[in-house]
Amino acid sequence: MINLVNVVNSLDDKEAPVGHELKVLGDYSELFGKSVQVIAAKEYISGKGKNLPYCIYAGKRKWAALKILCNYFVSLAAAKGRYLIYTVTPEELLWGIALYKGRKKVIAVTYEHWDMYISNNLADKPIRRALVKRGLSRLNGCIVTNALYRPKVPYVRIPDYYITDEIKKYHRDGTEKGCVCLGEMRNGKDILGLVRVMGKTDIPLMIAGSFQDKELYRRVKRIQADNVTIEDRNLPYDVYLKYLSECRYVVLPYDARRYDGKTSGVLLEGIFMGAVPVAPWKLLEQNGIQGLGYHNISEIPELIRLYEEGKIIVKNKMDKYCLQQYKKKTMWLLKQLDYNV
């Protein structure tokens, strides 16, 4: 029995799942087939699986570390069999694994480049640094979404998402115009800068997603130009795909420092749709994806102009995002842990 576990369980103020945690649980359930038990908050499993007691509400991080640790220890007790796959790996999960793992076989799906994370965030935090390093060393395996990170345990490298039949229904030929910025509007995204830059152009821009910081939303609305549309809400997945399919460019206005070593589901789903990604050049490089890479957000209009004049060519190969090759990789990893596949 494979146990798929989400210890974070992010919810918005209406108690609906946010971020890509829900989709990852669904994708991995399909990836691993029939012998799967999901362990997560009740909002994530609709009564099918084992419930975890705690959720993290968007914008409310008080007690978040303790909640994640409690969910981790509950998951150890709730798991059927010895094999657990944690579909999201916050730092706090590694603390828990460092403190106690028992005889469970633990695989972590990691979106971070942990060497970079430790260097950038934990250089002056010796206790947290020691816990993270010990947690990483105690993993039995990793599923790595980052193109550069190389764990010291057995691992397979799989992008955040793969191409599904649902995504194929929304694929388009790239004739649409305008830009879209989707997902949670968190502090790691320069939404203000994007609105200021694009408001000086005639290029349509849609921003749609839940703003964790309502003061940020009010500031953005104050500078909103006529060519900018803003929706502050948690998008249902079908609406998210529809919006993504309606624009030629998907813009990822990430703070490059905060996203150093990370991956992005929106980036992948954008190229699956045929959209041209507009993102920090380092993010594109780390994910092995072609797009309009910028060093400063003010460069975006000029990059779009050069692309439309044919002076920049963007081509991304889709065959490496095929579900079947992912299944082969994950089965190989399970065999390393003596799982009877």
Side-chain angles (χ1 to χ4, degrees):
M1 171 69 73
I2 298 293
N3 299 273
L4 296 178
V5 189
N6 174 17
V7 293
V8 178
N9 303 298
S10 302
L11 302 181
D12 63 13
D13 54 6
K14 296 180 181 178
E15 299 194 350
V18 296
H20 66 274
E21 295 166 30
L22 183 62
K23 184 177 187 302
V24 170
L25 275 177
D27 286 354
Y28 273 73
S29 295
E30 184 178 358
L31 197 61
F32 286 99
K34 296 179 181 179
S35 300
V36 167
Q37 174 182 256
V38 176
I39 304 176
K42 65 181 187 297
E43 290 83 359
Y44 280 75
I45 59 178
S46 302
K48 298 178 181 178
K50 293 287 186 178
N51 289 349
L52 291 179
Y54 297 110
C55 299
I56 311 299
Y57 288 86
K60 299 178 181 178
R61 296 291 300 177
K62 187 176 182 181
W63 305 112
L66 183 58
K67 289 179 178 180
I68 291 170
L69 281 171
C70 287
N71 280 344
Y72 165 68
F73 290 117
V74 171
S75 74
L76 292 180
K80 290 183 179 180
R82 298 175 59 206
Y83 299 86
L84 293 95
I85 298 176
Y86 289 90
T87 57
V88 58
T89 305
E91 181 186 330
E92 296 87 349
L93 173 64
L94 295 174
W95 300 351
I97 294 169
L99 294 170
Y100 180 77
K101 185 171 78 75
R103 297 186 178 183
K104 302 291 185 182
K105 300 280 189 175
V106 172
I107 298 173
V109 181
T110 78
Y111 308 97
E112 295 277 2
H113 188 306
W114 283 103
D115 297 334
M116 289 185 183
Y117 182 93
I118 291 168
S119 176
N120 293 341
N121 299 285
L122 304 180
D124 59 346
K125 299 175 177 64
I127 295 176
R128 285 172 55 189
R129 184 172 69 246
L131 286 172
V132 167
K133 287 185 174 181
R134 177 170 168 77
L136 291 169
S137 70
R138 300 191 77 190
L139 293 174
N140 297 97
C142 276
I143 296 174
V144 180
T145 69
N146 189 286
L148 302 178
Y149 179 53
R150 290 176 173 79
K152 295 179 175 62
V153 297
Y155 72 95
V156 292
R157 196 179 306 282
I158 295 177
D160 292 49
Y161 296 158
Y162 50 83
I163 299 173
T164 64
D165 290 339
E166 185 174 12
I167 285 176
K168 289 178 182 177
K169 291 188 299 185
Y170 289 87
H171 184 86
R172 63 341 176 10
D173 59 10
T175 58
E176 299 77 1
K177 293 187 178 182
C179 301
V180 66
C181 174
L182 299 176
E184 290 182 77
M185 302 303 157
R186 57 172 70 93
N187 291 331
K189 298 179 179 179
D190 187 7
I191 305 301
L192 275 171
L194 178 63
V195 172
R196 287 194 185 101
V197 168
M198 300 307 291
K200 297 175 183 178
T201 74
D202 60 357
I203 302 170
L205 169 66
M206 169 180 279
I207 296 173
S210 177
F211 280 75
Q212 295 180 356
D213 184 342
K214 298 308 176 185
E215 176 57 29
L216 173 61
Y217 174 70
R218 288 188 285 270
R219 292 174 65 192
V220 170
K221 290 292 288 183
R222 284 197 292 268
I223 64 171
Q224 178 182 359
D226 291 341
N227 63 315
V228 178
T229 303
I230 300 172
E231 292 187 18
D232 177 19
R233 63 171 177 138
N234 183 25
L235 298 177
Y237 191 56
D238 60 337
V239 176
Y240 166 86
L241 291 180
K242 178 177 179 292
Y243 284 180
L244 195 54
S245 71
E246 290 175 343
C247 293
R248 181 177 298 173
Y249 306 96
V250 56
V251 183
L252 299 98
Y254 295 156
D255 182 333
R257 294 167 298 177
R258 295 195 186 194
Y259 275 78
D260 193 15
K262 294 189 179 183
T263 57
S264 168
V266 180
L267 175 62
L268 288 177
E269 287 178 313
I271 65 170
F272 295 166
M273 292 288 190
V276 177
V278 183
W281 70 271
K282 195 170 184 179
L283 181 73
L284 296 174
E285 182 185 53
Q286 289 173 169
N287 287 272
I289 289 174
Q290 292 188 18
L292 306 183
Y294 62 82
H295 294 82
N296 188 293
I297 203 165
S298 63
E299 300 167 10
I300 291 177
E302 176 65 9
L303 288 169
I304 290 175
R305 183 186 68 80
L306 292 172
Y307 174 79
E308 295 190 347
E309 291 178 354
K311 295 177 180 176
I312 298 177
I313 305 298
V314 174
K315 291 183 179 179
N316 286 296
K317 295 180 179 179
M318 296 295 104
D319 55 351
K320 65 180 179 179
Y321 301 107
C322 170
L323 171 61
Q324 291 306 315
Q325 66 172 305
Y326 295 174
K327 284 187 175 181
K328 291 178 182 177
K329 286 185 176 184
T330 52
M331 290 304 104
W332 175 87
L333 182 60
L334 290 175
K335 287 180 180 179
Q336 308 310 301
L337 306 185
D338 300 320
Y339 181 76
N340 184 16
V341 298

